[in-house]
């Protein structure tokens, strides 16, 4: 009987978790709209520009993603190639997948073939990776371009991936002019945390990089997105001009990583 009792308890916990996801998602969406309204008011805009909310679902079971999907959400972010290609075929075809983890060149083919619904790869951090991805994507899906963002190491931390700010514009130009299978959609950063989330100076660095990239590529500044802000700081990031935020634990709860052997 003990195993049955444990199983029933686990089922109740799982049910409560799944029931909580739509509510937590709605709370985050409400805060996103409020922060966008605050920015619009400070800039005297006629209406707020509401950023995209990418629900970061790494380490979470597909059931959790389906709970958010059933609540109307479509943009999901994953950090690991293996996890994304396992989840992708189990979710509806209209899911917009964002890859937001570090991508090694030797995993490009696996990601491209395993996730035809990939909407945006937010972590281009070298010309080598851009060209490798471009070649693989054109080979697999010649009829459509893949949206990509250049990841910027705005904080200068050695532990962070991303391009140095001074190199961003040139990499953006390579993507925009030489990678026919890729569509440059913006810049992304993680930034260095302070007591309230990401430092404001990291947001400022990303905005400056966008200006330089737009000028280098002959694009309108506003045509390039800014993916900045996570669970701890997405409201502040939106007030600073983010057009896409990546929120995980505030929607799905704390992550549980498997113990290393």
């Amino acid at each position: 009987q003990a195993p049955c009792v444990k199983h029933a308890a686990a089922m109740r916990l799982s049910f409560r978790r799944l029931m909580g996801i739509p509510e937590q998602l709605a709370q985050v969406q409400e805060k996103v709209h409020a922060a966008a309204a605050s920015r619009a008011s400070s800039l005297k805009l006629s209406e707020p520009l509401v950023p995209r909310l990418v629900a970061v679902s790494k380490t979470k079971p597909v059931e959790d993603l389906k709970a958010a999907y059933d609540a109307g959400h479509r943009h999901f972010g994953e950090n690991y190639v293996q996890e994304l290609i396992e989840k992708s075929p189990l979710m509806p075809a209209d899911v917009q997948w964002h890859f937001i983890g570090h991508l090694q060149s030797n995993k490009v083919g696996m990601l491209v073939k395993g996730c035809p619904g990939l909407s945006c790869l937010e972590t281009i951090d070298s010309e080598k990776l851009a060209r490798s991805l471009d070649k693989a994507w054109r080979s697999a899906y010649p009829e459509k371009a893949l949206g990509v963002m250049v990841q910027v190491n705005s904080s200068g931390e050695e532990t962070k991936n991303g391009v140095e700010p001074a190199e961003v514009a040139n990499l953006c130009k390579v993507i925009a002019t030489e990678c026919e299978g890729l569509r440059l959609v913006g810049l992304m950063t993680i930034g260095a945390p302070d007591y309230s989330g990401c430092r404001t100076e990291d947001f400022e660095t990303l905005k400056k990089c966008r200006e330089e990239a737009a000028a280098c590529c002959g694009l309108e500044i506003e045509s390039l997105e800014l993916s900045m802000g996570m669970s701890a700081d997405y409201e502040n990031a939106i007030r600073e001009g983010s057009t896409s935020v990546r929120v995980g634990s505030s929607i799905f709860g704390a992550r549980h990583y498997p113990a290393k052997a």
Side-chain angles (χ1 to χ4, degrees), residues 38-136:
S38 173
R39 176 171 172 78
S41 176
S42 66
L43 295 178
K44 295 182 169 54
L45 302 177
S46 57
E47 59 183 55
L49 301 171
V50 180
R52 177 192 306 107
L53 171 60
V54 177
V56 180
S57 44
K58 67 178 180 180
T59 79
K60 295 299 179 181
V62 169
E63 291 75 19
D64 289 20
L65 280 69
K66 287 181 176 176
Y69 180 92
D70 290 342
H73 204 69
R74 295 296 179 267
H75 290 271
F76 293 87
E78 291 286 342
N79 290 62
Y80 308 114
V81 173
Q82 187 63 39
E83 196 173 347
L84 176 51
I85 64 176
E86 287 174 1
K87 290 177 178 176
S88 173
L90 302 176
M91 290 290 288
D94 62 338
V95 166
Q96 303 288 300
W97 293 103
H98 294 246
F99 188 78
I100 57 175
H102 180 61
L103 181 62
Q104 297 170 306
S105 293
N106 63 355
K107 297 274 184 74
V108 165
M110 184 191 305
L111 175 63
V112 168
K113 291 174 186 173
C115 188
L118 188 62
S119 172
C120 185
L121 194 147
E122 300 196 15
T123 50
I124 296 288
D125 60 2
S126 70
E127 182 177 333
K128 176 186 175 184
L129 179 59
R131 293 191 184 280
S132 176
L133 181 63
D134 175 50
K135 182 179 178 181

Side-chain angles (χ1 to χ4, degrees), residues 154-155 157 160 189-204 206 227-234 236-237 240 246:
S154 59
S155 59
E157 295 172 279
K160 293 274 170 65
T189 194
I190 295 174
D194 64 11
Y195 66 93
S196 62
C198 187
R199 303 178 308 173
T200 300
E201 51 260 49
D202 291 320
F203 297 148
E204 293 298 330
L206 199 66
S227 175
M228 57 189 196
M230 299 185 288
S231 282
D233 58 13
Y234 67 92
N236 189 36
E240 292 291 334
R246 311 177 303 274

